[in-house]
Amino acid sequence: MSRVVGIDLGTTNSVVAVLEGGEPTVIANAEGSRLTPSVVAFAKNGELLVGSVAKRQAVSNPEGTVLSVKRHMGTNYKANIGGQAYTPQEISAFILRKLKQEAENYLGTSVTQAVITVPAYFTDSQRQATKDAGEIAGLEVLRIINEPTAAALAYGVDKSQDHTILVFDLGGGTFDVSILELGEGVFEVLATAGNNRLGGDDFDQRIVDYLVQEFKKEQGIDLSKDNMAVQRLKEAAEKAKIELSGLLSANINLPFITADQNGPKHLDMTLSRAKFEELTHDLVLS
Amino acid sequence: MNKEHVGVNSSRPQEEDCIRPKEADCTQSCDKPVETDCTCCNNDPDNSPVEADSIRPQTAELENRLLRLQADFDNFRKRTARERLEQAALAEAALVANLLPVLDNFDRALANLPQEADTSWAEGVQLVHKQLLDVLGQQGLERVNCEQPFDPNLHEAVMRETCTDDEAEGTILQELQPGYLYQGRLLRPSMVKVATKD
């Protein structure tokens, strides 16, 4: 019995889910993650890589790697990788095919139909490109649904009543705000706004900048010059940001972050939620 | 058809007890007398054929839904049983993953051993480090080998450096942070600098 899956084909990450007994379940991939990076690459030996494994070699193989292909959907952009030119639909199809396979492995049955979400501001040609990508991947695309509408439905908005809904979607690479009107069971997009070059990474970067600045003040050393220190700061910044969703302050503890002639140096700072909001205030307002 | 939920102690037969009847005979396994309303069967003997016809598509639809729900449930049950077995392993892997930064910092501390440190104390700390590695090793922790060509299944390239030598393409020039496998699966990729041809 073949199943229908729901797919969020995102700029940075993609997700696939299935309805079981009326409840949605997000499907984890072979590596155990519920998110699959929207990255496609052809390795130097010609091997096709999709997802985390593609992301891991992006820095060493930038000419062979395609990131954020969603930004090119509906355009004549061609990705020249693996000795061939691929359209954005074909690149997206690689991602969709992987999601399809993951779903089939999880369910133990074939998956031939899907519902795929797109941003509310997507044009007809962008929507058609998304549908085409699905077909290339071997999926019959039953519907293309607006992302904020899908969010409202998943939230459980009561379709029998009229509502005005604001959906705030701050994702990996884009920030989208949508105003929807639900009337007589039909969703209408009234307005969209946001910043399609703003994502989670930008918030992390504000924390990193703050840590570098404070460390320079206290220790007189500029950590931004040390690649390994920067890596650790980025990871710690993301972790602190996540913790601040639930706690009012997060501790950032990085022993042996660097060293000078006097010996090793450590970074041990506390970041309050208030400070984080102050550091990122203008990002949200933009 | 009235699909009423029948309790265990009820004297009414459960739906499953009733053998789905053909048109005529409703008294196959019911112990209810024919005159009374037997709601476990589709047919009331007093029903006219027209009424029976009108509810047949509904019944077919409900049967369909029931079969689908049953199949869903069976699959869910099998998958849950499998997941329960994997759960313990996943929880362990999650704990070990959270310990990796601590292990990294321990490595860093030892790499920064001061010259004038009390040698027997330093030795003690090194033994503790060894013990930590032993315990984790026995549980299934294994360091990823970086003495091999770059493999995105094991390594993550965070930096690249141009090399002039064709043969050096794809060589790992530096391990910035070790990667680990846990019970055969990649827990964290090694963070490496890779040699590239450009």
Side-chain angles (χ1 to χ4, degrees), chain A residues 1 3 20-21 30-32 44 53 56-57 59-60 62-63 106-107 227-228 231-232 235 255-256 264, chain B residues 68 72 79 82-83 105 108-109 112 150 152-153 155-160 169 176 185 189 191 196 198:
Chain A
M1 184 180 65
R3 304 293 296 266
E20 283 183 303
E31 289 166 320
K44 313 255 165 118
V53 68
R56 280 187 218 125
Q57 53 88 72
V59 165
S60 62
E63 325 76 40
Y106 177 80
L107 294 167
N227 281 315
M228 190 62 232
Q231 287 295 337
R232 290 178 68 192
E235 268 179 28
F256 301 96
Chain B
R68 240 179 293 159
D72 261 0
R79 190 176 324 117
R82 195 179 58 205
E83 280 174 356
N105 285 328
R108 289 187 185 107
N112 277 279
F150 174 73
N153 291 302
H155 315 121
E156 182 182 354
V158 296
M159 287 166 71
R160 57 190 285 217
E169 158 97 61
L176 284 96
R185 286 183 87 185
M191 236 191 241
T196 55
D198 327 281

Side-chain angles (χ1 to χ4, degrees), chain A residues 207-223:
Chain A
I207 299 178
V208 172
D209 293 344
Y210 173 68
L211 295 173
V212 167
Q213 181 194 310
E214 290 300 298
F215 195 79
K216 213 189 291 190
K217 260 197 273 184
E218 284 171 30
Q219 304 278 359
I221 299 174
D222 184 357
L223 289 174

Side-chain angles (χ1 to χ4, degrees), chain A residues 113-259:
Chain A
Q113 298 174 314
V115 169
I116 307 180
T117 56
V118 294
Y121 55 77
F122 254 27
T123 62
D124 280 347
S125 74
Q126 286 170 310
R127 283 163 205 265
Q128 188 57 48
T130 306
K131 203 156 185 269
D132 293 342
E135 313 270 326
I136 298 169
L139 291 165
E140 183 197 344
V141 180
L142 298 178
R143 283 283 270 284
I144 296 281
I145 299 183
N146 286 330
E147 284 156 20
T149 306
L153 287 170
Y155 173 75
V157 72
D158 178 7
K159 290 211 282 180
S160 65
Q161 301 209 314
D162 290 357
H163 297 274
T164 307
I165 302 160
L166 183 149
V167 180
F168 187 100
D169 179 359
L170 180 54
T174 65
F175 170 43
D176 299 305
V177 180
S178 317
I179 311 278
L180 309 175
E181 193 174 69
L182 172 57
E184 291 168 359
V186 174
F187 282 94
E188 194 191 328
V189 179
L190 295 182
T192 60
N195 183 341
N196 77 342
R197 293 258 165 203
L198 174 66
D201 287 355
D202 298 294
F203 286 72
D204 299 344
Q205 192 56 45
R206 290 297 172 88
I207 299 178
V208 172
D209 293 344
Y210 173 68
L211 295 173
V212 167
Q213 181 194 310
E214 290 300 298
F215 195 79
K216 213 189 291 190
K217 260 197 273 184
E218 284 171 30
Q219 304 278 359
I221 299 174
D222 184 357
L223 289 174
S224 64
K225 301 279 190 327
D226 179 345
N227 281 315
M228 190 62 232
V230 168
Q231 287 295 337
R232 290 178 68 192
L233 287 170
K234 278 190 182 164
E235 268 179 28
E238 192 188 353
K239 190 161 152 289
K241 174 186 75 175
I242 292 169
E243 280 173 25
L244 286 173
S245 292
L247 300 169
L248 289 173
S249 74
N251 177 239
I252 300 166
N253 180 3
L254 297 169
F256 301 96
I257 188 75
T258 192

Side-chain angles (χ1 to χ4, degrees), chain B residues 40-107:
Chain B
C40 65
C41 294
N42 201 6
N43 285 333
D44 179 339
D46 288 342
N47 258 350
S48 65
V50 174
E51 276 185 47
D53 278 341
S54 72
I55 53 174
R56 207 166 298 134
Q58 281 165 277
T59 326
E61 166 63 25
L62 285 170
E63 263 188 61
N64 216 338
R65 290 228 302 254
L66 176 65
L67 284 170
R68 240 179 293 159
L69 198 59
Q70 187 69 39
D72 261 0
F73 180 65
D74 279 340
N75 285 333
F76 181 76
R77 197 178 17 197
K78 277 183 219 151
R79 190 176 324 117
T80 307
R82 195 179 58 205
E83 280 174 356
R84 202 174 294 136
L85 290 174
E86 294 171 353
Q87 210 75 297
L90 279 173
E92 259 180 48
L95 173 64
V96 174
N98 285 334
L99 282 175
L100 290 182
V102 183
L103 185 56
D104 293 333
N105 285 328
F106 207 154
D107 289 341

